[in-house]
Structure formats: structure tokens, C-alpha cells
Amino acid sequence: MTTTSINIRLTHKSYLREPESTELGRRIISESVRLIDELGFEQFTFKKLAAEIGSTEASVYRYFENKHKLLVYLVSWYWAWLDYSVTLRVQNIDNPRERLIRAILAITTAAQEDDPTVDYIDERMLYRIVLAESTKVYHTKEVDSENQDGYFMEFKNLCDRMARMTLAINPAYPYPHALMSTVLEAAHQQMFFARHLPSLTEICEAQHLREENTTFLKHLVFSAIEPQEANLTT
Amino acid sequence: MTTTSINIRLTHKSYLREPESTELGRRIISESVRLIDELGFEQFTFKKLAAEIGSTEASVYRYFENKHKLLVYLVSWYWAWLDYSVTLRVQNIDNPRERLIRAILAITTAAQEDDPTVDYIDERMLYRIVLAESTKVYHTKEVDSENQDGYFMEFKNLCDRMARMTLAINPAYPYPHALMSTVLEAAHQQMFFARHLPSLTEICEAQHLREENTTFLKHLVFSAIEPQEANLTT
DNA sequence: ACTTTTATGATAGCTTTACTATTACATATA
DNA sequence: TATATGTAATAGTAAAGCTATCATAAAAGT
């Protein structure tokens, strides 16, 4: 049996002990994804998590200092994984417009693929967590010191990769990073709005949810960076 | 002495007792704005607030069920106030492009004006709270029931007002609400990124922060809705 | 003027969350 | 065999997040 073992590596240490390296660590990750998706981050506690995996609160604390750092780990893992997915989908493609189109498609659909990258992480559940909880990782009073510790590198890397793709199309566009941080956040927001606050968007749960989101974002990006030839069917 | 008494009215009841109607209620509002700005929402508690205003925890609980509902109140007040500011700035303007330009300018600069709309709310502090904490009001497990209770009406109203302005320019644009919810969120995100995660944006604290943000957003909006004639100096 | 309602304050208490210190146990190594 | 070393279980503590009760003062109704 040949399984391609892909290892998503994080550049920072939001954990105390590496969770991938032990059985308990992996169960902490997979069960916390399940529990946060089920309860929401506010109702999620290490006590409930420990009960779920048949371990103790103290043991969980050996892997993560607190639940905020666990969320940082999960969200960072997602961005690193998405960055990897984007890289895969654009490799061997030379046309800069085609590259950017594929990258946007990766962002809106990567989490819907059937076979998981690592067996103990359910990417669809993690995607739902990112939709609902990811902005909480940087909306804290500790944002500056956590930024210094490299906690947001994975998101910045992806943003920068996308920004460089836009510059390959139009080197004169003055706001590539601003555009791409906006698009990355909007890709998630619109999905969340479609589900919970539908009057904030035309993207609709009932019909072609992800396709509509992709079309909206592609149009937004391409009309911003190449105003002359933008159209809705690119 | 003639003071124009403007009353920002909320359409929902996130409070138990109306805070504007009593001295203690107004002190709860003004001091919670100060404290949340100082400590961040996570570190903010009703006990600390009560100590600050020389009252008791139990008294604060008579006005708001919990700190989350207080945040809903503050953020809703901000959106209602911004909606009002936008309305003021576009009144008597007939040209649809000029109207949208003024609306975007209102969103990026309204909180910087010197004279406050109501004397017990510091709009600049409240603006900083909205930058850092506003998405927490809807990123909860209770989002659907709170939506039913009308907790997000103020944001939806503003989003819809802006969407109608875009339709006045281009009735064929298919995503007016999606575009405007994206822009409203981006206007705040970019300011937050400029301060805390500067590698995610070209908008820079050092120089013409708000002007750059306005330019970025205007270009984004106008190139999306009128692709042919978009340019960076509109 | 007198009663009743309403608003606030003071005190106490309760449950849960978030986290830590200590000890026990198992395994690996010298 | 002795001794590190990693891992888990027990038992706590402090603070957060509420609630209940009673006293008192001001406001409102009759």
C-alpha cells in the first residue's frame, strides 16, 4: 500500500508538543476539529475535548497552552494546506491569467475534495471552522506579539503568492496584497453569509453556491487588475 | 443653547433596559467603549466595568444579559450611526457616481470627525472596537436565532443602501450586495491590517492611511461595476 | 400625604472555565 | 539495578459569568 505522505509544516510553534508525532496528539487535533465544528469555539473547552478522547484536561494542556493557541494551530494548518493546494493546481501552467483563475478556484473549492491530505484531519469540517472562527486568531490584544512569533505566516505566504500572480498579469496594479487579503477573506465571508445572513449576498445556498462565489471573486479580481477587458464569463 | 439631539435608534432589543434613558445606562455605554478599547473584548468583564463606574456587577446585568449582547448593541449602534452619516453625505447629490463616491468616503472617514453625534459615545474609540471586534457579533453558534431577532439589521440596511447605489449606476451588475458586504468588511480589515499585519496590504500607517484606503476601495468598486471606464483617479 | 412601583446598591453564593501543582506510573537508558 | 524521562491522573485554585435576596432611595400614581 503506497500512501503519499504529505506533511504540512508550520513555521511557528503555537503548540507545546508536536501533535502529529503522537497518537494522543493526533486525536487531540481530529477531535478538536469535530468538537469546535459542533459547539463553536466559545463553547469548546479542553475539559469537553478530554472527555471526548478519553483523556484528561492536563494531558491536553501538555500539547497546547490554551484553546486559543490550538485554534491558531488549526487555522494555520488550513492556510498552509490551502497554499499547498494552490501550488499544486497552478504547477505546469504558464499563462498568468490561467494561473490566477486556477488559484481562485482552489480557494473556493479545495476543501470539497474527497480524499484528505492527512487522515486524521477532516478538511471539510476544518473549512467550516475557518469560515466561522478564523478571524478570531488575529482579533486579539496579543496580535502584535503573536505576529512577531510568526503565527500568521501561513496566511501571509498565501496572500503574497496570490499578489505575485496578479503582478504577473499587471505589474502596474498598485494594491496586489490589499486586493488578495480582501479576496481571501471575502471568499470565506460570502460562504458564511450565504448560509447565515443571505440578505448580504447574491450567492445563494440553493444553487451553484461555490460556482457563484468563484464567478463573483474572479470578476472582482480581474476587473480590478485589467479594467479594459474584464467580463463575467472569464 | 441649541444642541441638535440626534437619536440613533436600534430596531432590535439586545439590551434589557434602554441604556440611553438613564444616567447609569449612559455611563455603562461610555465606559464599556473605553474599557473594551483598552483591554480587548476577551479581557473585558462586567466586574471590571462596574468597578470603573463605581457601581456593581448586578446593576450592569440589569441593562445587558451578558457582554456579548453589549457588544451587539455597540456594533449595531455604530452601523446605524454610519448609515445615518452616509445618508447625510449623499443627500441633495443627484449624480449616481458622485453619490457612491461620497458613500465610500463616509465609510472610511466618518469616525474621524471631531464633533460627536451623542456626547456619551466616543466615535473614534467605538470605531477601533468595530475594527477589532465587530465580526465576533455574528461569528457565534447563535447567529441564526440572533439574526431572527433582528440583531444585524443595521448592517444589512447599510449594505442594502450601498447596493442600491451601485444598481443606480449599473442595473445589470449581478452582485451588488456581495460587493458591498465585501467592501464594508474590507474597509475595516485593511485599516486593521495596516496597523497590525502590514504585509497583507499596501495601505500604510505612515502615509495617507485613509486616503489610500478610499482610493483602493473606490477603484475596486468602480472597476467591478463599470469595467470600461474604471481608473485609479476617479 | 401616602402608597406603590421602580431603580440602584450591597452582599452572598453558585457553577463553569481556565489553568497549575503534585504525584503516580511506565518505559527507556546507563 | 538505578535513574532519568515522558506521560497521565488527581486534585486543587482563581477568576469569570451569572443569579438571588434584601435594603434603600427616588419617582410615580392615587
Side-chain angles (χ1 to χ4, degrees):
Chain A
M1 191 168 75
T2 356
T3 39
T4 328
S5 175
I6 295 140
N7 217 344
I8 303 293
R9 283 237 144 256
L10 305 186
T11 57
H12 57 83
K13 273 197 62 183
S14 47
Y15 51 82
L16 294 170
R17 261 207 233 323
E18 220 175 289
E20 310 127 67
S21 63
T22 68
E23 178 56 29
L24 181 62
R26 288 185 293 270
R27 299 203 61 203
I28 287 173
I29 299 303
S30 57
E31 272 307 302
S32 64
V33 168
R34 248 209 60 253
L35 256 190
I36 295 173
D37 183 46
E38 185 187 326
L39 305 174
F41 187 64
E42 276 68 37
Q43 304 307 314
F44 167 84
T45 68
F46 278 3
K47 187 167 265 168
K48 291 174 188 170
L49 171 62
E52 210 72 15
I53 60 184
S55 180
T56 63
E57 224 183 328
S59 299
V60 179
Y61 273 103
R62 283 208 197 79
Y63 285 85
F64 292 98
E65 231 178 292
N66 51 52
K67 69 174 184 172
H68 176 254
K69 302 228 170 175
L70 171 57
L71 184 65
V72 170
Y73 180 89
L74 294 176
V75 171
S76 296
W77 192 94
Y78 172 82
W79 291 120
W81 169 83
L82 187 56
D83 192 40
Y84 167 76
S85 300
V86 167
T87 311
L88 274 190
R89 293 224 205 167
V90 302
Q91 73 184 352
N92 304 323
I93 309 293
D94 292 325
N95 181 283
R97 283 172 192 78
E98 183 61 24
R99 285 171 65 84
L100 187 52
I101 288 170
R102 283 175 180 247
I104 293 170
L105 194 66
I107 288 162
T108 52
T109 62
Q112 303 311 313
E113 277 169 18
D114 278 321
D115 74 301
T117 308
V118 297
D119 55 2
Y120 59 95
I121 296 188
D122 183 328
E123 276 119 20
R124 289 184 204 208
M125 273 186 192
L126 182 54
Y127 177 70
R128 285 201 296 270
I129 291 177
V130 170
L131 293 193
E133 322 285 2
S134 68
T135 68
K136 294 172 190 169
V137 308
Y138 57 76
H139 282 147
T140 71
K141 272 289 160 184
E142 295 76 36
V143 57
D144 298 315
S145 69
E146 294 193 342
N147 185 31
Q148 288 234 320
D149 293 343
Y151 282 22
F152 314 118
M153 276 306 288
E154 287 75 17
F155 185 74
K156 290 186 201 170
N157 285 343
L158 178 57
C159 182
D160 189 54
R161 181 185 307 283
M162 303 284 292
R164 280 182 279 113
M165 288 186 196
T166 68
L167 287 179
I169 298 170
N170 178 0
Y173 180 67
Y175 303 110
H177 291 85
L179 179 64
M180 284 305 152
S181 58
T182 297
V183 164
L184 285 171
E185 293 282 11
H188 291 127
Q189 263 164 34
Q190 294 299 312
M191 294 295 280
F192 186 88
F193 290 161
R195 162 146 301 173
H196 298 290
L197 301 163
S199 61
L200 293 175
T201 182
E202 283 74 23
I203 289 144
C204 172
E205 279 244 293
Q207 288 252 332
H208 309 296
L209 181 59
R210 266 165 286 275
E211 289 80 354
E212 283 287 291
N213 197 22
T214 311
T215 306
F216 165 64
L217 294 171
K218 280 198 302 197
H219 178 254
L220 191 68
V221 168
F222 280 95
S223 57
I225 64 175
E226 41 181 32
Q228 317 80 333
E229 8 172 347
N231 70 74
L232 283 167
T233 54
T234 311
Chain B
M1 192 167 78
T2 356
T3 40
T4 327
S5 175
I6 296 141
N7 217 345
I8 304 292
R9 282 237 144 257
L10 305 186
T11 57
H12 57 84
K13 273 198 62 184
S14 47
Y15 51 82
L16 295 171
R17 257 207 237 323
E18 219 175 289
E20 310 127 66
S21 63
T22 68
E23 176 58 28
L24 181 63
R26 288 185 293 269
R27 298 202 62 203
I28 286 173
I29 299 302
S30 55
E31 272 306 302
S32 64
V33 169
R34 249 209 59 253
L35 256 190
I36 295 173
D37 183 44
E38 184 187 326
L39 305 174
F41 187 64
E42 275 68 37
Q43 305 306 313
F44 167 84
T45 69
F46 278 3
K47 190 166 263 169
K48 291 173 187 170
L49 172 61
E52 210 72 15
I53 59 182
S55 179
T56 63
E57 224 184 330
S59 297
V60 177
Y61 273 103
R62 288 202 189 91
Y63 283 85
F64 291 97
E65 231 178 291
N66 51 52
K67 70 174 184 172
H68 176 254
K69 301 229 170 175
L70 171 57
L71 185 65
V72 170
Y73 181 88
L74 294 176
V75 171
S76 296
W77 192 95
Y78 172 82
W79 291 120
W81 169 83
L82 188 56
D83 191 40
Y84 167 76
S85 300
V86 167
T87 311
L88 273 190
R89 294 224 206 169
V90 302
Q91 73 183 354
N92 304 323
I93 309 294
D94 292 325
N95 181 284
R97 283 172 193 78
E98 183 62 24
R99 284 172 65 84
L100 187 52
I101 288 170
R102 282 176 180 245
I104 293 170
L105 193 66
I107 288 160
T108 52
T109 62
Q112 303 310 313
E113 277 168 17
D114 278 320
D115 75 301
T117 308
V118 298
D119 54 3
Y120 60 94
I121 295 186
D122 183 326
E123 277 121 18
R124 290 186 201 205
M125 272 185 192
L126 182 54
Y127 177 69
R128 285 199 298 267
I129 291 176
V130 170
L131 293 193
E133 321 285 2
S134 68
T135 70
K136 294 172 190 171
V137 308
Y138 58 75
H139 282 148
T140 71
K141 273 286 159 186
E142 295 76 37
V143 58
D144 298 316
S145 70
E146 294 193 343
N147 186 30
Q148 288 234 320
D149 293 343
Y151 281 21
F152 315 119
M153 276 304 289
E154 287 74 17
F155 185 73
K156 290 186 200 170
N157 285 344
L158 178 56
C159 182
D160 188 55
R161 181 186 306 283
M162 303 284 293
R164 282 182 278 112
M165 287 186 197
T166 68
L167 288 179
I169 299 171
N170 179 359
Y173 180 67
Y175 303 109
H177 291 85
L179 178 64
M180 284 305 152
S181 58
T182 297
V183 164
L184 285 170
E185 292 282 12
H188 291 128
Q189 263 163 34
Q190 294 298 312
M191 295 293 280
F192 186 88
F193 290 161
R195 163 146 303 174
H196 298 289
L197 301 163
S199 61
L200 293 175
T201 183
E202 284 74 23
I203 288 143
C204 171
E205 278 244 293
Q207 287 251 333
H208 309 295
L209 180 59
R210 266 165 287 275
E211 288 80 355
E212 282 288 292
N213 197 22
T214 311
T215 306
F216 165 65
L217 295 171
K218 279 198 303 197
H219 179 255
L220 190 69
V221 168
F222 280 95
S223 57
I225 64 175
E226 43 182 31
Q228 318 80 330
E229 8 173 345
N231 70 73
L232 283 165
T233 54
T234 312

